[in-house]
Amino acid sequence: MKTTAPMRKYSLVVVLLAAAAASASASAAAASSSKADRCHSDDKRALLAIKAALGNPYHFASWTPDNPCCDWYDVDFDATNGRVVGLSIFQDANLTGTIPDAIAGLVHLRNLMLHHLPGISGPIPPAIATLSNLSTLTISYTGVSGPVPSFLGKLTALTLLDLPFNSLTGAIPPSLAALPYLSGIDLSRNRLTGAIPPLLLSRSPDQAYLVLSHNNLSGAIPAEFAAVNFAHLDLSRNALTGGDASGLFGRGKELQYLDLSRNALSFNLSGVELPEQLYFVDVSHNAIYGGIPAQVANLTNLHFFNVSYNRLCGGVPTGGNMARLDAYNYQHNKCLCGTPLPTCK
């Protein structure tokens, strides 16, 4: 607590210290009152309804009517207009129930995070679709189930959709492809099925980030993905087949992380040109054929490269950064040879 008297001047008389303390107390009360005035009543009402819908748990002990909601735990408050713009509820295994419909009352909400709440279950409610200012939506490590709702396509301000480690089922809704500012999607570790929408992240204004790993998605990698400016792409551990994934590569692209492992993809690796910024490549456990491009040896940022369990042939490139890779990275191919594998005949 600030005081109007400098506490380091020990020669001040007791009466002045007492006066300063009284002044500071009055200032703090005025500031609290001012904050209370700036806390919008509609947002306060919505937050208290959220608390009630979840059974008034101890997690929300600071959420009381006589306490300014700008001081409440988990709440991000914009002092310029008195509105709640962020709600981050996380890491509480004792919190149970469904996502409350009352969340629709936070009309200025820009960021919503529900993270590591295993007791939260049920579907993603339509109330989320009314949050027209929402920029980031995170629902992760919960018991939330049901589909990835198509009504999320109404969130036209959304830049990040983060829904990993849940129990979501069904297909990825094509409506997500229409979002003009969406550049990051993580739907990993769910139970999703069906094909990947071909225009997903095709309108991304920035480098795109897509993680769909550990689902049961099928079909081909969309040919349209060749035109998306991916920086991070993880489609591993699905049931993807066919298609020519070589379009994901290209010398001028900004791709840094690529994981296509544990699918059933089949394409010729020989002629691909690898992006210079690649630092992670895992295409293991597929049916990829051809040979390893010699360019791999010259990728100065490359730290992980795994092409094992495919149908590759020919010599392993030498020189450059290849010495840091061992036989594990190449094992179980049709006829790869050369260091660190057996000598080519």
Side-chain angles (χ1 to χ4, degrees):
M1 180 181 293
K2 295 181 179 179
T3 64
T4 56
M7 296 297 294
R8 64 180 179 273
K9 294 185 179 179
Y10 301 109
S11 59
L12 292 179
V13 293
V14 174
V15 66
L16 291 179
L17 288 174
S23 175
S25 178
S27 297
S32 178
S33 174
S34 177
K35 285 199 292 186
D37 292 340
R38 296 200 307 271
C39 191
H40 200 282
S41 59
D42 289 347
D43 290 348
K44 192 168 189 176
R45 189 179 305 112
L47 289 169
L48 289 173
I50 292 171
K51 176 184 176 181
L54 292 172
N56 296 304
Y58 179 76
H59 185 95
F60 303 111
S62 65
W63 293 22
T64 59
D66 56 347
N67 191 22
C69 66
C70 47
D71 286 338
W72 291 0
Y73 185 65
D74 296 339
V75 176
D76 186 16
F77 173 79
D78 185 347
T80 62
N81 61 11
R83 307 309 301 249
V84 171
V85 294
L87 180 62
S88 301
I89 306 173
F90 54 92
Q91 293 185 327
D92 191 335
N94 298 315
L95 207 59
T96 60
T98 60
I99 300 174
D101 289 334
I103 204 166
L106 300 175
V107 295
H108 286 257
L109 202 64
R110 295 197 291 264
N111 304 300
L112 173 61
M113 174 188 289
L114 305 174
H115 173 67
H116 217 293
L117 304 172
I120 296 296
S121 58
I124 298 174
I128 297 287
T130 66
L131 303 175
S132 59
N133 293 301
L134 207 62
S135 175
T136 66
L137 173 60
T138 295
I139 303 172
S140 56
Y141 291 84
T142 75
V144 167
S145 59
V148 178
S150 59
F151 59 66
L152 295 180
K154 297 179 180 180
L155 300 175
T156 55
L158 203 64
T159 62
L160 172 64
L161 178 63
D162 191 29
L163 306 177
F165 288 89
N166 296 297
S167 297
L168 299 171
T169 56
I172 300 172
S175 62
L176 297 180
L179 295 176
Y181 304 110
L182 189 63
S183 58
I185 298 176
D186 188 347
L187 303 177
S188 62
R189 304 273 182 170
N190 282 288
R191 303 171 188 173
L192 302 177
T193 56
I196 301 173
L199 298 179
L200 199 64
L201 292 178
S202 60
R203 302 182 66 180
S204 172
D206 304 304
Q207 291 181 334
Y209 177 103
L210 178 62
V211 182
L212 302 177
S213 64
H214 294 82
N215 282 288
N216 195 32
L217 299 170
S218 57
I221 295 175
E224 291 82 356
F225 274 16
V228 178
N229 185 26
F230 284 112
H232 186 115
L233 179 62
D234 186 350
L235 306 178
S236 63
R237 296 177 183 268
N238 280 287
L240 301 174
T241 58
D244 187 1
S246 62
L248 299 174
F249 300 90
R251 190 177 290 269
K253 294 192 175 183
E254 299 183 58
L255 188 64
Q256 301 170 34
Y257 183 106
L258 178 66
D259 193 345
L260 305 178
S261 63
R262 297 181 184 273
N263 283 286
L265 300 170
S266 179
F267 63 95
N268 189 346
L269 190 64
S270 300
V272 303
E273 289 190 304
L274 302 173
E276 293 86 344
Q277 302 303 315
L278 269 176
Y279 70 86
F280 183 102
V281 180
D282 191 348
V283 294
S284 63
H285 295 268
N286 281 289
I288 300 169
Y289 57 92
I292 301 174
Q295 181 202 359
V296 171
N298 300 321
L299 296 178
T300 56
N301 293 322
L302 191 64
H303 291 284
F304 188 91
F305 183 76
N306 191 345
V307 295
S308 62
Y309 292 88
N310 279 291
R311 300 174 183 174
L312 298 171
C313 279
V316 174
T318 58
N321 57 25
M322 301 308 290
R324 71 179 66 167
L325 304 175
D326 57 29
Y328 164 82
N329 303 95
Y330 310 108
Q331 64 186 342
H332 293 280
N333 273 283
K334 184 178 181 181
C335 48
L336 279 180
C337 59
T339 306
L341 299 174
T343 302
C344 297
K345 297 180 180 179

